[in-house]
């Protein structure tokens, strides 16, 4: 069974390829699964108690995780220490940062692989517990399903054929082991060895397979594709906002046009709507730094936190209607000076001017934005060579572990640049050159669909990607060359709707629209005296501003092939729709989608499995103990089939009596060590736990239940007395008062069930819950087990004390004799 469980979980882990990049993570995962399964098999082979088997599995999981990830920070290589705990905290923070800031497939760093190994180790323990001690092998599929849900929600190709087939084969092995090697002794015919069982299993599997292939076509939440390949579970449907937990590539490959935003502006051209700024770079990926401690309440008056020395300012008025767009961040043109008409509480960041809701979001907001930005020219930017000052260090600091290809590429393409502006233009020109192409498929096929540094290195090698890759590349290379940078997330300029909107003091303004297809990311570089300046390195997306155009380029076109499909209109013209785009996989931007939900999928699964196992341990132990007792000694089923009913009944008597005492204990009637079996039986039959309660009413059916239970107690007591005190080999008879009710099948198991039924009928809901989940018979055993080391230590201490006292007495007597001599 342990081998079947290991095979099933290892097969399910195959589906995580694509959630984690490459296959380097699979060896430690496989090692963890095998070690935990071997520990379970070894303890069970030694006939350990189910609780000890589960505890041993947990210990083995801790040891193998420590040996794999914290060997240098542990005792003798596998025992955790204080240094291990400190390293664990660092690994967990690394894993959290990875899944929050990267889209799938995420980089398989040590932190995320540790979490994956721990989660799958817990799945092994859960599946094994369900398959054997709890005797629910079919339910063990829930543990395997918990693993498959992760890729089903994140990967565009879903679980994948290999992972699905391996998991299914492992699950069938678990079911086969549970029936083939350990058939239920109560089933007299048609076990797993019966050909009829095989035929029915094949028929059931065929029906399930057909239903799986057909029902997905009508079940909401499945994307297009043939299960399991390409059929992706998406219970949240499409997203309506820039969501941090969605994979950008997945959304771009399936544009839906949701989250429509309309705006009317007096600007001469359509505007970029900026929602959030991503400026913190911790070495693996970009992420927003909300700086909550420095945010200012209200958006009625805002001001940039740096000096602006441009001779001319461009002031614009924009009326925005967010519609169904849902995000904690507000989309506005840069740089906003005032936002009026909002509902709810909002705050803004002086460093980035991003506006964030305190207790609300952007859905169904209608507001007026007054924005102001310097009128930029090539000459102004080229002359802005003053040292940078007055901005936070996180905008300036380059990452410490920049790949060599990024640094050498930046140095080579900017070597002729005299000023920051010339270097910025060199980087933009390099990324927009014909060597680079805009592609949604290449990053997935090449395994670099994300925004980390390793992804950036792959992008520069493959020279193909989409907006997040181009924006990240320019921002990182700018920092390497000493230019402060950050990434803006929002929407590229949209399309005219043909309608107009009346704005007070402005008259009728042309209306534009954007939706999820226009979501975009672009870099912003800082120039002293001019502020943050947007650039557009992504070919075929957005518009290159006039100050960032090469003299050879025509207008604001942004295409790869030189045509004018990317041209955006001046006021009154009809805009061509901007193709492509969707939500960016960066943290903190709201919405509801599936994307990189590895934290809840892994952390949540691990925590839930751990809680379930801890909570179910007493019930698991009690159920397993009852089942073993009622099955009787080993091979009792074969003995019964051989006609050895008498020997079976004699062997069952002490087991049934032990179960009867534990049942009584669980429902409040504890045995007293000094009682004889007959005395305990009489007290139990007369207790309120077993006799019919007055509240039960005089119904004949209830009276029959309790009279049957009394008869069962009497019979079990008589059988136990004859087993203990009768002549060996005497036939087993069912004794009891003549007026008691006889059971249709006077087996010990049926008598125990009759007693349990009566006890549960008399016990209220709290009593039943206590007997099921915290049975006193089990808790007392746990107490004895937990106290055993202390009792042993006490005995050792007492023995040592007596030995020390004896030595002292002998030494004292010797000294006395010396003095007397």
């Amino acid at each position: 069974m342990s081998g079947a469980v290991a095979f099933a979980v290892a097969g399910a882990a195959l589906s995580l390829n694509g959630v984690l990049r490459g296959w380097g993570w699979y060896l430690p995962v496989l090692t963890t699964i095998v070690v935990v399964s071997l520990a379970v098999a070894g303890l069970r082979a030694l006939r350990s108690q189910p609780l000890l088997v589960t505890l041993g599995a947990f210990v083995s999981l801790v040891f193998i995780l420590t040996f794999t990830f914290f060997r240098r920070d542990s005792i003798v290589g596998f025992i955790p220490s204080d240094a291990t705990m400190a390293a664990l905290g660092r690994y967990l923070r690394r894993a959290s940062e990875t899944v929050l800031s990267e889209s799938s497939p995420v980089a398989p760093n040590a932190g995320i692989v540790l979490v994956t190994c721990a989660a799958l180790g817990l799945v092994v323990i859960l599946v094994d517990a369900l398959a054997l001690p709890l005797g629910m092998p079919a339910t063990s599929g829930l543990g395997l399903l918990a693993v498959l849900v992760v890729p089903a929600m994140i990967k565009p190709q879903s679980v994948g054929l290999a992972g699905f087939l391996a998991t299914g084969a492992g699950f069938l092995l678990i079911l086969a082991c549970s029936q083939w090697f350990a058939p239920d002794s109560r089933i007299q015919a048609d076990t797993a060895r019966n050909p009829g069982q095989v035929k029915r299993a094949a028929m059931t599997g065929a029906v399930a397979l057909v239903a799986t292939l057909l029902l997905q076509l009508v079940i909401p939440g499945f994307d297009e594709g043939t299960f399991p390949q390409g059929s992706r579970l998406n219970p949240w449907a499409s997203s309506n906002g820039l969501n941090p937990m969605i994979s950008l590539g997945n959304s771009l490959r399936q544009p839906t046009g949701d989250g429509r935003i309309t705006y009317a502006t007096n600007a001469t051209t359509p505007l970029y709507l900026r929602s959030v700024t991503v400026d913190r770079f911790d070495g693996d990926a970009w992420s927003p730094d909300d700086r909550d401690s420095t945010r200012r309440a209200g958006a009625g008056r805002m001001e940039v936190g740096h000096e602006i020395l441009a001779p001319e300012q461009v002031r614009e008025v924009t009326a925005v209607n967010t519609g169904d767009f849902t995000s904690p961040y507000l989309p506005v043109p840069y740089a906003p000076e005032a936002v009026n008409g909002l509902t709810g509480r909002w705050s803004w960041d002086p460093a980035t001017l991003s506006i964030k809701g305190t207790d609300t979001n952007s859905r169904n907001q209608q507001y007026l934005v007054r924005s102001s930005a310097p009128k930029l020219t090539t000459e102004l930017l080229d002359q802005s060579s003053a040292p940078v000052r007055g901005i936070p260090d996180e905008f300036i600091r380059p990452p410490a572990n920049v790949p060599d290809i990024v640094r050498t590429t930046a140095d080579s393409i900017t070597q002729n640049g005299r000023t920051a502006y010339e270097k910025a233009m060199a980087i933009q020109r390099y990324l927009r050159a014909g060597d680079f192409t805009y592609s949604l498929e290449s990053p997935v096929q090449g395994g670099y669909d994300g925004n980390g540094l390793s992804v950036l290195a792959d992008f520069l090698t493959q020279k193909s990607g989409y907006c997040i890759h181009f924006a990240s590349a320019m921002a990182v290379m700018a920092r390497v060359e000493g230019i402060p940078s950050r990434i803006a997330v929002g929407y590229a300029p949209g399309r005219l709707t043909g309608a107009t909107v009346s704005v007070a003091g402005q008259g009728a303004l042309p209306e534009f629209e954007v939706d999820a297809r226009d979501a975009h990311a672009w870099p912003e570089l800082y120039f002293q005296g001019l502020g943050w300046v947007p650039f557009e390195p992504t070919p075929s997306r957005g518009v290159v501003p006039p100050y960032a155009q090469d003299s050879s380029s025509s207008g604001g076109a942004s295409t790869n092939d030189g045509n004018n499909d990317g041209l955006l209109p001046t006021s009154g013209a009809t805009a061509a729709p901007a193709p492509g785009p969707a939500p960016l996989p960066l943290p903190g931007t709201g919405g509801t989608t599936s994307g990189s939900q590895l934290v809840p999928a892994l952390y949540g699964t691990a925590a839930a499995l751990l809680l379930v196992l801890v909570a179910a341990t007493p019930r698991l132990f009690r159920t397993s103990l009852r089942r073993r007792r009622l099955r009787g000694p080993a091979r009792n089923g074969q003995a019964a089939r051989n006609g050895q009913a008498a020997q079976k009944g004699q062997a069952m008597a002490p087991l049934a009596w032990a179960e009867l005492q534990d049942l009584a204990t669980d429902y409040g009637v504890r045995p007293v060590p000094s009682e004889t079996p007959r005395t305990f039986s009489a007290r139990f039959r007369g207790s309120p736990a077993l006799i019919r309660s007055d509240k039960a009413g005089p119904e004949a059916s209830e009276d029959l239940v309790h009279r049957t239970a009394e008869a069962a107690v009497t019979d079990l007591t008589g059988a136990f007395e004859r087993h203990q005190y009768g002549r060996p080999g005497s036939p087993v008879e069912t004794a009891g008062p003549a007026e008691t009710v006889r059971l249709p099948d006077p087996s010990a198991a049926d008598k125990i069930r009759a007693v349990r039924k009566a006890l549960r009928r008399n016990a209220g809901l709290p009593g039943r819950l206590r007997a099921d989940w915290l049975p006193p018979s089990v808790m007392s055993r746990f107490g004895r087990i937990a106290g055993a080391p202390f009792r042993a230590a006490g005995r050792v201490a007492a023995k040592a004390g007596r030995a020390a006292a004896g030595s002292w007495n002998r030494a004292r007597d010797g000294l006395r004799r010396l003095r007397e001599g």
Side-chain angles (χ1 to χ4, degrees):
M1 177 63 80
S2 295
V5 171
F7 182 86
V9 179
L14 292 174
S15 64
L16 296 178
N17 174 250
V19 177
L20 302 176
R21 190 180 309 136
W23 285 101
W25 54 272
Y26 192 73
L27 181 59
V29 163
L30 184 62
T31 303
T32 302
I33 294 172
V34 171
V35 168
V36 174
S37 299
L38 286 175
V40 170
L43 290 171
R44 193 164 284 130
L46 296 175
R47 301 184 181 279
S48 301
Q49 294 293 330
L51 176 61
L52 293 180
V53 173
T54 302
L55 292 178
F58 276 112
V59 171
S60 68
L61 177 59
V62 171
F63 283 171
I64 187 59
L65 291 179
T66 304
F67 180 79
T68 304
F69 297 96
F70 310 108
R71 199 174 311 169
R72 296 180 180 178
D73 299 315
S74 60
I75 302 172
V76 300
F78 64 92
I79 301 176
S81 63
D82 292 341
T84 308
M85 296 298 104
L88 175 63
R90 293 194 300 270
Y91 276 45
L92 293 181
R93 285 192 299 271
R94 176 74 180 278
S96 177
E97 291 170 355
T98 299
V99 298
L100 284 175
S101 57
E102 288 198 42
S103 61
S104 62
V106 299
N109 57 60
I112 202 65
V113 176
L114 167 65
V115 173
T116 305
C117 291
L120 292 175
L122 291 175
V123 170
V124 170
I125 298 173
L126 173 65
V127 172
D128 179 84
L130 290 171
L132 271 183
L134 285 177
M136 296 186 292
T139 313
S140 65
L142 294 176
L144 303 176
L145 183 63
V147 180
L148 298 182
V149 163
V150 177
M153 292 190 300
I154 294 176
K155 291 167 56 179
Q157 63 271 38
S158 187
V159 173
L161 190 60
F164 176 75
L165 292 179
T167 307
F171 181 56
L172 293 178
L173 280 176
I174 292 174
L175 297 181
C177 289
S178 67
Q179 289 298 314
W180 189 279
F181 298 105
D184 194 331
S185 61
R186 292 168 293 179
I187 301 176
Q188 300 301 320
D190 199 24
T191 66
R193 296 178 176 85
N194 193 309
Q197 186 83 352
V198 176
K199 292 179 181 178
R200 280 193 293 274
M203 180 63 67
T204 302
V207 172
L209 180 60
V210 172
T212 301
L213 294 174
L214 296 181
L215 290 181
Q216 61 153 334
L217 301 177
V218 296
I219 296 177
F222 277 92
D223 295 341
E224 294 181 0
T226 301
F227 185 84
Q229 185 71 21
S231 184
R232 180 169 168 266
L233 180 64
N234 184 17
W236 298 279
S238 56
S239 76
N240 290 331
L242 295 179
N243 191 282
M245 307 306 289
I246 191 170
S247 169
L248 176 62
N250 294 344
S251 299
L252 290 173
R253 282 179 284 272
Q254 298 178 3
T256 61
D258 292 330
R260 180 175 180 266
I261 300 174
T262 60
Y263 67 91
T265 180
N266 64 353
T268 57
T269 58
L271 301 172
Y272 280 77
L273 294 182
R274 185 170 169 275
S275 185
V276 64
T277 299
V278 180
D279 48 62
R280 184 168 60 88
F281 198 76
D282 61 7
D284 284 314
W286 295 91
S287 61
D289 189 344
D290 287 332
R291 288 174 286 272
D292 291 330
S293 60
T294 59
R295 297 188 75 89
R296 300 181 186 178
R301 182 178 178 84
M302 305 167 62
E303 57 185 14
V304 295
H306 47 264
E307 61 178 358
I308 300 295
L309 304 178
E312 184 178 353
Q313 293 286 110
V314 178
R315 287 181 166 81
E316 298 165 341
V317 176
T318 306
V320 184
N321 185 343
T322 58
D324 291 334
F325 173 78
T326 303
S327 170
Y329 293 94
L330 202 67
V332 296
Y334 189 77
E337 290 184 331
V339 181
N340 302 111
L342 293 172
T343 59
R345 294 191 301 160
W346 297 83
S347 63
W348 60 281
D349 182 1
T352 64
L353 299 185
S354 64
I355 305 170
K356 184 180 180 182
T358 303
D359 56 359
T360 187
N361 58 51
S362 63
R363 186 180 179 87
N364 293 325
Q365 295 281 348
Q366 298 182 35
Y367 49 92
L368 189 70
V369 184
R370 298 185 182 276
S371 56
S372 175
K375 186 175 182 179
L376 299 173
T377 64
T378 303
E379 293 74 17
L380 277 176
L381 289 167
D382 197 39
Q383 294 169 6
S384 177
S385 57
V388 173
R389 61 181 184 276
I391 63 171
D393 183 61
E394 59 260 29
F395 298 114
I396 305 172
R397 182 176 57 251
N401 53 342
V402 178
D404 290 338
I405 186 174
V406 178
R407 193 177 297 276
T408 56
T409 300
D411 292 341
S412 65
I413 62 179
T414 62
Q415 60 182 347
N416 296 325
R418 298 176 298 101
T419 64
Y421 171 71
E422 289 184 357
K423 292 181 179 181
M425 286 298 297
I427 297 172
Q428 178 182 274
R429 189 181 304 113
Y430 171 74
L431 294 172
R432 293 184 64 84
D435 292 342
F436 283 85
T437 57
Y438 185 94
S439 173
L440 299 173
E441 301 301 332
S442 295
V444 176
Q445 297 170 358
Y448 58 94
D449 190 10
N451 67 330
L453 278 178
S454 59
V455 167
L456 189 55
D458 293 336
F459 165 69
L460 291 178
T461 302
Q462 301 295 329
K463 292 182 169 55
S464 184
Y466 43 91
C467 60
I468 184 59
H469 302 99
F470 287 93
S472 296
M474 184 165 183
V476 172
M477 287 194 286
R479 285 200 187 181
V480 168
E481 297 303 320
I483 308 172
S485 64
R486 64 192 188 190
I487 297 176
V489 181
Y491 290 93
R495 302 160 292 281
L496 282 168
T497 64
T500 58
V501 176
S502 296
V503 178
Q506 301 295 325
L509 301 178
E511 184 184 60
F512 296 84
E513 66 174 356
V514 293
D515 55 38
R517 294 169 297 176
D518 303 295
H520 192 45
W522 61 94
E524 293 180 342
L525 277 55
Y526 185 81
F527 292 85
Q528 190 65 36
L530 300 177
W532 290 99
V533 177
F535 286 81
E536 186 52 86
T538 306
S540 79
R541 291 298 179 268
V543 174
V544 180
Y547 56 80
Q549 294 178 12
D550 288 323
S551 58
S552 59
S553 65
S554 57
S558 178
T559 62
N560 284 332
D561 54 10
N563 59 38
N564 290 329
D565 292 343
L567 284 172
L568 290 168
T570 58
S571 181
T574 301
L584 186 69
L586 296 170
T589 49
T592 55
T593 52
S594 53
S596 297
Q597 293 183 351
L598 209 54
V599 168
L602 294 180
Y603 290 168
T605 299
L609 292 178
L610 181 59
L611 290 176
V612 168
L613 284 171
V614 171
T617 296
R619 181 185 177 102
L620 181 154
F621 183 86
R622 184 71 181 90
T623 304
S624 174
L625 184 61
R626 181 185 299 118
R627 183 175 289 107
R628 289 206 312 275
R629 285 169 173 170
L630 297 185
R631 285 181 178 178
R635 302 298 181 185
N636 59 22
Q638 186 63 39
R641 284 190 289 274
N642 292 339
Q644 302 171 4
Q647 288 83 347
K648 177 185 176 182
Q650 289 178 345
M652 282 293 295
L655 298 176
W657 179 252
E659 178 60 26
L660 181 67
Q661 286 189 311
D662 280 354
L663 268 179
T665 302
D666 292 342
Y667 288 91
V669 184
R670 289 182 177 273
V672 178
S674 61
E675 287 181 323
T676 64
R678 189 167 299 182
T679 304
F680 168 73
S681 174
R683 182 165 65 87
F684 184 30
R685 284 184 282 113
S687 67
L690 190 64
I691 65 173
R692 182 173 59 81
S693 172
D694 293 339
K695 295 181 181 180
E699 289 82 357
S701 61
E702 294 186 353
D703 187 59
L704 178 63
V705 168
H706 293 282
R707 288 192 294 113
T708 301
E710 291 183 51
V713 173
T714 301
D715 286 353
L716 292 170
T717 305
F720 180 68
E721 288 179 331
R722 283 187 294 277
H723 177 273
Q724 290 293 98
Y725 313 119
R727 181 180 294 115
S730 61
V732 177
E733 301 174 358
T734 56
E739 66 275 10
T740 58
V741 176
R742 285 300 174 194
L743 300 174
D745 177 13
S747 67
D750 285 334
K751 294 171 185 176
I752 289 294
R753 294 189 191 96
V755 175
R756 186 166 181 259
K757 181 178 180 181
L759 290 171
R760 293 183 66 81
R761 187 181 292 270
N762 272 358
L765 179 61
R768 290 195 295 270
L769 291 176
R770 179 171 180 253
D772 288 342
W773 295 98
L774 292 172
S777 61
V778 171
M779 302 311 293
S780 61
R781 283 184 174 89
F782 287 1
R784 289 195 296 272
I785 293 174
F790 298 99
R791 292 194 295 272
R795 290 193 294 270
V796 171
K799 185 176 180 180
R802 289 193 298 271
S807 299
W808 169 253
N809 291 334
R810 287 192 296 274
R812 184 185 56 190
D813 293 342
L815 290 173
R816 186 172 59 252
R817 286 194 297 271
L818 285 174
R819 287 196 300 270
E820 292 173 352

